[in-house]
Amino acid sequence: MLHGRDSLVRLIGKRRRTFSSPLAQHLRPQSAAKRRPSPSSVEDEAPPPKQESQIHGAERVSCPVCGSSIRGTDYSVNSHLDTCLARGVKRKLTQSTLLQFKFCPRSRSESSLVDLDNDKEKARKRGSTNESDPSNFPLSSRYGSTRMSERMQCASASPYHSLSSSETCTDASLEGLVIEDAVISKVKDPLYSHMFRQSVKTQIPKLDTCGPGDAKYVEILETFIVGCRFHDNAELRQGASIFLLRDPQNSKDRHAIKVLSADFDGRVLGYLPRELAKYLSPLIDNHHIKCEGSVTSLPRHPYDVIPIQLVCQMAENSDMKSDDCQILKSLWESVLLAVEYGRANHPSMTKYQRNFCLMIEDVMNHYAYLFTDKEKSFLGVFNSLSDDGQRLFIRLYTRKGPWFRMSNVSYPEISDPLQAAEELQLAGYLFLFNSCEDPFTYDMKEVLNLLNVYEIREILKQVPPKKAINCTRRPELINVLYSAYENEICPLLPKVVFERVGTCVRISSAADIFLWRVQRLFFLSGEQDLSSFLLVDLGLVKFPDYACNISHQVFAGRDDLLEYEEAIEVAQVMDEYLDANNMDMVIRCIDVSDSHIQASLMEDTRSSILDSPPTFFSCFSASWVYSKVLTLGISVFEHKHRYEDAIRLLKGLLNRITCDSRRGYWTLRLSVDLEHIGRLNESLSVAEEGILDSWVRAGSKVALQRRVLRLGKPPRRWKMPSYADYVKQKIKEVYIRGRPLVCETGTKNLFYGYDGELCGVEQLALQYYAGEGGWLGVHSESGIWMTFFGILMWDVIFSNIPDVFRSRFQTAPLDLDTDDFYVARKSLIESHLQKIHDGMADEILITSWGLHFGTACRGVKWERHSLSDLRAAVSCIGGRRLAALFRHLSLDYRSWSSGMPDLLLWRFHGDMGRGQAKLVEVKGPRDRLSEQQRAWMLILLDCGFDAEICKVSPNPSSP
């Protein structure tokens, strides 16, 4: 694996289907097939104009309601009429008006947003939209314009930062309801609490007295049944009677309340919402509340929630104490708040649908300044789509694609996928076609991937020359068919293929570009996507609790964001060309990155600017991404023995990027490559200068020191460096004999263990130490130490520091890998390390384990180590050594988070329970210490650890 490839792949994350920058489009691999160009803005998304012979008379017509010019297709007309009626435009549609209205054949091309803008302008002139409210987007659902405000309430006061009036996305209040922030947190999921800064207020009936008179207190609650279950012999009907039954044995929620049908022998219809059940269940358990009700209306879809009405009556209890009365009043107020919260956040939306909307809302609240007005309008259209439209788009967006056959698109929560697809096409979110006569550009390779093996074989029978096909695998069959298309053997092949695939859709270019940007801004990471929501909803991942204290913007402006995105695209193109082994295009990507680095000023001048952004934001700059591309490019040139080119890139990076922990790697590679081409004096000088560089650390520094000692012998250098004794100090070595399975060079080292079973060198060493000294231990390399650091330093890692936490899906602060981590928390870190030094590590470990077990934290492997093993290891290591080790990790986590010895061993002595710990690096017959491992061994010896090297050999010899 080339050095830097893994890092670049993590940076890229999910590969983009559509590129927005002209540079990346030019670099990206092109096939002989026709490709649809990738637009860089919403304005470019409109399809190219058609000739008269192509549109089949699909001229534009005037809407009889608003007068807008629209396409004369049946679907466009009907959808536009529904939109106008939903806006409440008071113009009567007469029969003669409709009869005189011109309809035209259906158009299957993508819709342009120009029509949407015209609609918006017309509506503004008629006073149907509020110009001060940017959330009134041009396209409304056929269910009414209030649907958007029911779904997505933007924050009136952002918890992150203040936006200007033109940037803040506000919505009309929900029927005048306002829930205060201080109390709504009682009924919200903490994970999404920063997204739900709603302004909803309700009148809460006060229970001023508790006594026999309260038995007459009756309250009617309007709520929903979730998790509905339908039975063939228990058909749901409006007005059906229901009653409640507690389900304390429910494995997912001990507060669960079942909703049963009173008309069908008590069959279960579903459950009350979790937020409501949390506060209503203790009232039911203590017989304070009796609830019955009825179904108020039927759901549109079988999987939607069922609206119900509950009549709650207070039970008489004359013996209630004053404290119990206060608890009752508090619980009842929480019940009412939960009911209003449910009304404000309609639970009919599916989980993934709500999560997707929350992501868009959060980004538009906090990064609105990075989007143009047209882009905001385009993203805002999504809020006004029907439930089916939203769900279909999200389903398709999370699939690989790019094309999808509508015959294969079927989801139980979507009642009419084709109608939803047509709605999405009208909104510009999907591109739909169902005939080869549609004039559009395409990549035939992508279309062929929609066919199954049987269909490909049937088509091949019609393609001349009609010979027997020997291949059987689908990719091979597709290549045969694609070759026939490229060579134009069969001119009718596209028509035959399109008739086979039928109606197909794909995500539009504009939607793909903007949703990729939204997702990137929300997570600030290419490794995370919408699956993070799913993992939380399923309870598979729990993210830590921390404060998102925002004081600076990640991107200073839109230009910075676009440059960063372009750099990400270039990195993806290079990764694709490496997969294709196209070295000419890889070198082009390297040259493009090098030219951008040369054109940018990499000197860190932000420290001289008042209230400048934190330095760890540099990883969200285009220059930082290009430097990663060049780092990978250096490995590519070295792999091809093009050392002159590698030296040129290394010198450029070192001259321009003066503050970066990667300078150690770059300096070491420069010295090594100079030696490769015989420039030994220059290689020695580079190594000597690198040792004095404060950014050269850990293994790179030790490697450079060893190079100086090797290259700097007389007559090049006469004086021995001061660090010579430190680098040359002897590390204890232990030799053990192992009986290998095979002795061939290049094969994995497998040995017969002391128990007769096959094992690796590390397991063999563990057995040796267990037999020789009674040692207990684990083979985890750096894993157990990162676990120690995460658990014992939890309060430090997740402390309230500005700008280090930007979303609720982080497992570590953004500055953990930088020097800013220690600088921003110096007093807190030193205070915490002093506690560990003084012997409180075991107490901190127990407390942190109990509070945070199972919570995701970078480096922590909860399931790999038991608490008893961790406590035993901590006791044997000792507080002084732990504190010294953690100080190194706090100062430079990036440099010291890898390369630790393979084994951590511990044992106890005598009745006093004194412990002893040992760290062992295990090496097979042909292995040797890396420079990073050597640096760790030297650090461990400085910290007072007992560290040694265990060498396994078939024929051990004494040192």
Side-chain angles (χ1 to χ4, degrees):
M1 176 66 73
L2 296 170
H3 181 86
R5 182 76 184 275
D6 286 341
S7 179
L8 193 72
V9 170
R10 290 195 300 270
L11 172 67
I12 296 169
K14 178 183 178 181
R15 287 188 174 183
R16 300 188 65 169
R17 287 180 287 219
T18 305
F19 283 0
S20 58
S21 66
L23 173 63
Q25 293 177 41
H26 179 67
L27 289 175
R28 199 178 191 191
Q30 298 291 326
S31 67
K34 294 182 280 184
R35 281 187 178 271
R36 179 176 175 83
S38 301
S40 58
S41 64
V42 174
E43 293 88 336
D44 300 331
E45 177 62 16
K50 301 179 182 181
Q51 302 296 328
E52 289 298 326
S53 60
Q54 297 172 336
I55 61 178
H56 304 290
E59 67 270 13
R60 305 182 74 83
V61 295
S62 297
C63 174
V65 180
C66 66
S68 299
S69 176
I70 58 176
R71 294 185 181 274
T73 62
D74 55 352
Y75 182 78
S76 298
V77 169
N78 291 333
S79 298
H80 185 82
L81 289 175
D82 288 341
T83 299
C84 290
L85 294 174
R87 291 189 183 124
V89 178
K90 303 300 182 181
R91 181 171 177 178
K92 185 178 180 180
L93 288 173
T94 63
Q95 185 179 16
S96 59
T97 305
L98 290 175
L99 290 176
Q100 295 169 2
F101 198 36
K102 296 180 180 180
F103 287 83
C104 304
R106 181 189 303 265
S107 172
R108 302 178 184 95
S109 60
E110 291 186 85
S111 300
S112 171
L113 290 181
V114 176
D115 294 343
L116 303 181
D117 295 332
N118 292 337
D119 293 345
K120 184 176 180 180
E121 186 63 28
K122 297 287 185 181
R124 282 180 177 174
K125 291 179 180 179
R126 295 179 177 271
S128 60
T129 43
N130 184 359
E131 294 188 17
S132 64
D133 187 1
S135 63
N136 289 321
F137 297 107
L139 181 64
S140 297
S141 161
R142 61 180 176 274
Y143 303 113
S145 59
T146 58
R147 188 159 190 79
M148 175 171 31
S149 61
E150 291 174 358
R151 292 213 183 135
M152 303 274 295
Q153 293 297 311
C154 300
S156 59
S158 169
Y160 289 110
H161 62 280
S162 299
L163 297 174
S164 64
S165 59
S166 62
E167 296 172 337
T168 306
C169 180
T170 58
D171 231 341
S173 61
L174 299 173
E175 302 176 3
L177 303 176
V178 177
I179 297 178
E180 302 297 338
D181 292 340
V183 293
I184 197 170
S185 61
K186 297 165 65 176
V187 292
K188 285 190 192 293
D189 186 344
L191 177 63
Y192 310 126
S193 61
H194 73 292
M195 305 178 190
F196 286 100
R197 311 293 287 190
Q198 313 250 14
S199 225
V200 183
K201 188 175 185 179
T202 181
Q203 296 294 330
I204 302 176
K206 297 296 183 180
L207 302 179
D208 296 327
T209 61
C210 291
D214 292 339
K216 299 179 181 180
Y217 181 84
V218 177
E219 181 71 15
I220 298 177
L221 305 179
E222 294 183 358
T223 182
F224 309 89
I225 304 176
V226 297
C228 309
R229 300 177 182 177
F230 296 96
H231 302 273
D232 295 336
N233 57 348
E235 183 179 354
L236 191 66
R237 62 178 178 81
Q238 187 173 347
S241 300
I242 58 173
F243 63 95
L244 305 183
L245 180 65
R246 281 280 288 115
D247 186 13
Q249 304 302 321
N250 191 296
S251 59
K252 295 183 178 180
D253 182 15
R254 61 187 178 89
H255 300 293
I257 301 178
K258 293 180 181 179
V259 181
L260 297 90
S261 172
D263 300 337
F264 292 95
D265 301 327
R267 288 188 172 86
V268 178
L269 298 178
Y271 293 84
L272 287 185
R274 184 186 298 266
E275 297 84 1
L276 175 59
K278 179 179 180 180
Y279 302 101
L280 188 59
S281 57
L283 294 175
I284 295 177
D285 290 341
N286 296 318
H287 308 288
H288 297 308
I289 295 291
K290 181 181 180 182
C291 297
E292 296 178 348
S294 61
V295 175
T296 57
S297 62
L298 299 181
R300 176 181 175 84
H301 301 299
Y303 288 85
D304 277 352
V305 298
I306 304 174
I308 60 173
Q309 188 178 77
L310 291 178
V311 179
C312 301
Q313 182 176 0
M314 284 288 177
E316 182 176 351
N317 189 349
S318 58
D319 299 330
M320 184 177 294
K321 299 180 181 179
S322 176
D323 292 343
D324 294 335
C325 183
Q326 292 298 323
I327 295 175
L328 171 62
K329 289 162 50 178
S330 177
L331 287 172
W332 184 245
E333 290 182 359
S334 297
V335 166
L336 297 175
L337 287 173
V339 170
E340 296 302 334
Y341 170 71
R343 293 177 61 188
N345 299 272
H346 201 283
S348 64
M349 301 175 71
T350 58
K351 276 284 188 179
Y352 67 85
Q353 182 184 1
R354 179 180 288 110
N355 294 338
F356 194 84
C357 292
L358 286 174
M359 181 181 69
I360 296 178
E361 176 191 11
D362 187 72
V363 170
M364 296 311 297
N365 282 344
H366 308 128
Y367 298 100
Y369 69 101
L370 299 175
F371 294 83
T372 65
D373 291 339
K374 278 191 173 294
E375 291 170 352
K376 294 176 187 177
S377 297
F378 181 77
L379 292 173
V381 167
F382 187 82
N383 301 327
S384 60
L385 297 174
S386 66
D387 281 330
D388 278 356
Q390 289 190 356
R391 293 166 184 172
L392 179 62
F393 177 80
I394 299 169
R395 286 286 197 178
L396 297 182
Y397 181 76
T398 53
R399 288 171 59 177
K400 184 177 180 180
W403 286 99
F404 308 95
R405 299 172 69 168
M406 288 303 299
S407 59
N408 295 335
V409 175
S410 176
Y411 299 101
E413 72 274 18
I414 301 175
S415 59
D416 191 342
L418 182 58
Q419 183 179 357
E422 291 174 335
E423 179 188 11
L424 289 168
Q425 178 179 240
L426 182 65
Y429 276 80
L430 284 186
F431 176 58
L432 182 147
F433 83 93
N434 58 9
S435 171
C436 61
E437 297 178 357
D438 280 333
F440 71 98
T441 54
Y442 55 87
D443 183 347
M444 178 55 75
K445 196 70 171 286
E446 295 176 348
V447 178
L448 292 177
N449 274 310
L450 295 173
L451 300 170
N452 57 42
V453 174
Y454 172 77
E455 291 171 330
I456 296 174
R457 288 186 175 277
E458 289 296 313
I459 294 175
L460 284 172
K461 293 179 181 179
Q462 307 175 37
V463 177
K466 301 176 182 179
K467 297 181 180 179
I469 305 299
N470 296 326
C471 55
T472 57
R473 300 180 61 184
R474 184 169 176 271
E476 296 172 345
L477 292 171
I478 290 177
N479 288 335
V480 173
L481 198 56
Y482 183 64
S483 177
Y485 168 77
E486 280 189 314
N487 298 329
E488 299 182 353
I489 297 175
C490 181
L492 297 178
L493 180 60
K495 180 178 180 179
V496 175
V497 171
F498 293 144
E499 288 177 350
R500 284 282 183 175
V501 298
T503 302
C504 296
V505 296
R506 69 163 173 80
I507 303 296
S508 70
S509 300
D512 191 51
I513 289 172
F514 299 137
L515 268 302
W516 182 90
R517 179 179 299 166
V518 166
Q519 187 169 273
R520 192 88 185 192
L521 289 171
F522 181 78
F523 291 106
L524 288 179
S525 169
E527 296 183 86
Q528 290 180 304
D529 54 23
L530 292 169
S531 61
S532 297
F533 282 106
L534 178 63
L535 294 174
V536 173
D537 292 337
L538 295 177
L540 300 178
V541 175
K542 178 184 177 183
F543 288 93
D545 293 328
Y546 45 73
C548 291
N549 184 0
I550 308 301
S551 59
H552 296 91
Q553 292 293 350
V554 175
F555 298 98
R558 178 178 171 83
D559 290 342
D560 291 340
L561 172 64
L562 296 181
E563 290 175 1
Y564 175 72
E565 289 183 354
E566 181 177 307
I568 295 291
E569 291 172 349
V570 172
Q572 177 178 329
V573 172
M574 182 176 180
D575 188 48
E576 291 177 356
Y577 283 130
L578 284 173
D579 287 341
N581 198 27
N582 189 334
M583 296 310 301
D584 290 337
M585 298 307 297
V586 167
I587 293 174
R588 283 192 61 186
C589 292
I590 294 173
D591 292 340
V592 167
S593 301
D594 190 33
S595 63
H596 278 79
I597 289 288
Q598 292 179 16
S600 62
L601 296 177
M602 294 300 296
E603 294 293 338
D604 190 0
T605 58
R606 285 174 294 184
S607 58
S608 61
I609 302 175
L610 183 63
D611 196 30
S612 61
T615 57
F616 56 83
F617 279 0
S618 62
C619 64
F620 300 109
S621 66
S623 299
W624 188 83
V625 178
Y626 286 128
S627 68
K628 293 184 77 68
V629 174
L630 293 181
T631 301
L632 177 57
I634 291 165
S635 293
V636 171
F637 283 140
E638 290 176 340
H639 186 69
K640 299 295 182 181
H641 303 290
R642 297 176 56 171
Y643 298 114
E644 294 285 357
D645 291 324
I647 290 170
R648 172 178 55 83
L649 295 181
L650 287 165
K651 287 185 175 180
L653 288 172
L654 289 169
N655 289 336
R656 294 178 180 87
I657 304 179
T658 59
C659 300
D660 196 295
S661 59
R662 293 172 293 176
R663 287 181 61 84
Y665 172 78
W666 296 335
T667 303
L668 176 60
R669 297 315 307 169
L670 178 58
S671 178
V672 171
D673 291 342
L674 287 169
E675 184 180 3
H676 280 314
I677 61 176
R679 294 156 62 176
L680 299 182
N681 288 329
E682 187 177 356
S683 175
L684 176 59
S685 299
V686 167
E688 290 175 332
E689 293 173 2
I691 293 170
L692 302 177
D693 190 338
S694 60
W695 290 95
V696 177
R697 303 163 182 173
S700 297
K701 186 171 185 177
V702 171
L704 289 173
Q705 290 173 337
R706 286 164 55 81
R707 288 187 63 79
V708 169
L709 294 179
R710 181 172 60 83
L711 297 175
K713 296 178 180 178
R716 291 195 183 92
R717 300 290 186 270
W718 294 95
K719 185 178 180 180
M720 187 68 69
S722 58
Y723 49 78
D725 293 338
Y726 175 77
V727 175
K728 288 183 177 181
Q729 65 178 304
K730 189 69 173 178
I731 302 174
K732 181 182 177 181
E733 295 180 351
V734 174
Y735 295 82
I736 65 174
R737 181 178 181 179
R739 185 162 57 96
L741 176 63
V742 292
C743 298
E744 298 177 2
T745 304
T747 58
K748 184 178 179 180
N749 294 323
L750 285 178
F751 294 84
Y752 289 98
Y754 292 91
D755 56 0
E757 299 292 333
L758 288 175
C759 62
V761 290
E762 294 84 6
Q763 287 72 28
L764 182 65
L766 282 173
Q767 295 178 20
Y768 166 79
Y769 283 103
E772 290 295 322
W775 293 93
L776 301 175
V778 293
H779 167 223
S780 65
E781 300 178 4
S782 300
I784 192 169
W785 297 101
M786 298 304 102
T787 298
F788 279 140
F789 183 80
I791 297 177
L792 292 174
M793 302 289 286
W794 191 283
D795 293 339
V796 173
I797 295 173
F798 297 103
S799 57
N800 187 3
I801 302 296
D803 294 316
V804 300
F805 294 108
R806 310 286 301 197
S807 78
R808 303 304 304 177
F809 295 90
Q810 291 180 225
T811 59
L814 294 177
D815 64 346
L816 181 60
D817 284 329
T818 68
D819 292 0
D820 294 342
F821 180 80
Y822 181 83
V823 173
R825 306 166 179 80
K826 182 176 180 180
S827 59
L828 181 60
I829 290 174
E830 292 300 333
S831 174
H832 201 76
L833 292 179
Q834 187 61 47
K835 295 179 182 179
I836 295 176
H837 182 278
D838 294 341
M840 296 181 62
D842 186 64
E843 179 182 345
I844 297 173
L845 176 63
I846 295 173
T847 303
S848 185
W849 181 281
L851 292 175
H852 309 298
F853 178 79
T855 303
C857 175
R858 181 173 168 183
V860 177
K861 307 296 182 184
W862 295 103
E863 305 298 335
R864 188 168 183 178
H865 310 287
S866 66
L867 178 59
S868 58
D869 285 347
L870 295 179
R871 290 186 63 190
V874 164
S875 177
C876 293
I877 293 170
R880 180 179 62 85
R881 299 185 186 92
L882 273 178
L885 185 63
F886 287 173
R887 183 171 287 105
H888 279 85
L889 289 172
S890 300
L891 286 167
D892 192 359
Y893 188 91
R894 177 188 176 93
S895 298
W896 295 109
S897 58
S898 62
M900 288 284 280
D902 295 310
L903 309 182
L904 170 62
L905 308 174
W906 64 85
R907 65 182 178 184
F908 292 94
H909 299 283
D911 298 334
M912 299 298 294
R914 292 184 302 166
Q916 180 183 1
K918 182 193 293 284
L919 287 92
V920 180
E921 180 65 39
V922 185
K923 291 299 177 185
R926 293 173 295 275
D927 296 335
R928 63 184 182 88
L929 282 180
S930 69
E931 300 299 348
Q932 178 71 9
Q933 291 169 341
R934 187 179 299 276
W936 256 120
M937 297 299 285
L938 297 176
I939 286 294
L940 291 171
L941 293 176
D942 289 345
C943 294
F945 283 91
D946 180 8
E948 63 188 34
I949 303 172
C950 177
K951 293 188 175 182
V952 180
S953 174
N955 297 303
S957 58
S958 58

